[in-house]
Amino acid sequence: MKKLDHIAIAVPDLDAAERIWREALQLEWKGWEEVPEQKVLTSIFRAGVTRLELITPTAEDSPITGFLERRGPGLHHICFEVDDLEAEMERLKEQGIRLLNEAPRAGVGGSRVVFLHPKDTGGVLVEVMEKKKG
Ligand code: CO
């Protein structure tokens, strides 16, 4: 795991959440990005060497819709960057960590990501991502 790439917070209302992080907490806002494969819109902030992402569902069947219904707004996942996603997936499986998706999915900025089962990581949803090459 190279570095903590981002922390993602699930929110039902992007405008209200952006006011908190942009105006009250004064993080530098970088822009929006939609991730159609995960049916979310992300609002991205720089936070020193890492980023904060507000994520909100764009469809009823988005995984974030169910999360917000069950848990309400709050911390959704943390994401670590790796150099070689497939190698890391193999290594994690050998360690007995279950993956929520067996094949990498498309993430923000052309990255590829997998999510680890929170029951195997102490109750925290962990995303592992490989940045777009080149
Ligand atoms: Co993420």
Side-chain angles (χ1 to χ4, degrees):
M1 305 283 160
K2 270 168 74 177
K3 71 159 202 183
L4 181 64
D5 183 78
H6 63 268
I7 292 171
I9 296 171
V11 301
D13 177 350
L14 214 46
D15 282 344
E18 281 176 352
R19 276 198 294 279
I20 298 170
W21 294 96
R22 207 170 171 168
E23 290 167 28
L25 284 99
Q26 303 233 301
L27 291 188
E28 182 192 346
W29 186 69
K30 301 299 283 181
W32 291 292
E33 185 170 329
E34 193 171 351
V35 186
E37 204 173 324
Q38 293 172 41
K39 295 180 179 164
V40 296
L41 179 64
T42 63
S43 182
I44 301 164
F45 296 81
R46 207 159 88 98
V49 295
T50 190
R51 289 178 295 131
L52 183 93
E53 289 184 5
L54 304 176
I55 54 178
T56 201
T58 54
E60 272 301 304
D61 59 344
S62 164
I64 304 305
T65 307
F67 177 90
L68 286 168
E69 279 166 8
R70 286 191 308 275
R71 314 265 298 262
L75 181 64
H76 184 261
H77 67 268
I78 62 174
C79 176
F80 291 99
E81 182 190 350
V82 297
D83 283 325
D84 181 340
L85 187 59
E86 274 74 11
E88 199 58 30
M89 289 165 70
E90 277 312 306
R91 198 190 62 77
L92 287 161
K93 279 194 265 188
E94 280 163 21
Q95 296 289 316
I97 307 282
R98 287 168 288 172
L99 308 178
L100 291 185
N101 48 306
E102 278 301 317
R105 287 193 211 153
V108 165
S111 62
R112 297 186 309 127
V113 306
V114 294
F115 285 91
L116 313 185
H117 201 302
K119 288 208 168 121
D120 297 339
T121 52
V124 180
L125 181 58
V126 177
E127 178 181 28
V128 179
M129 76 103 98
E130 182 187 306
K131 282 203 171 135
K132 188 180 180 179
K133 295 271 194 278

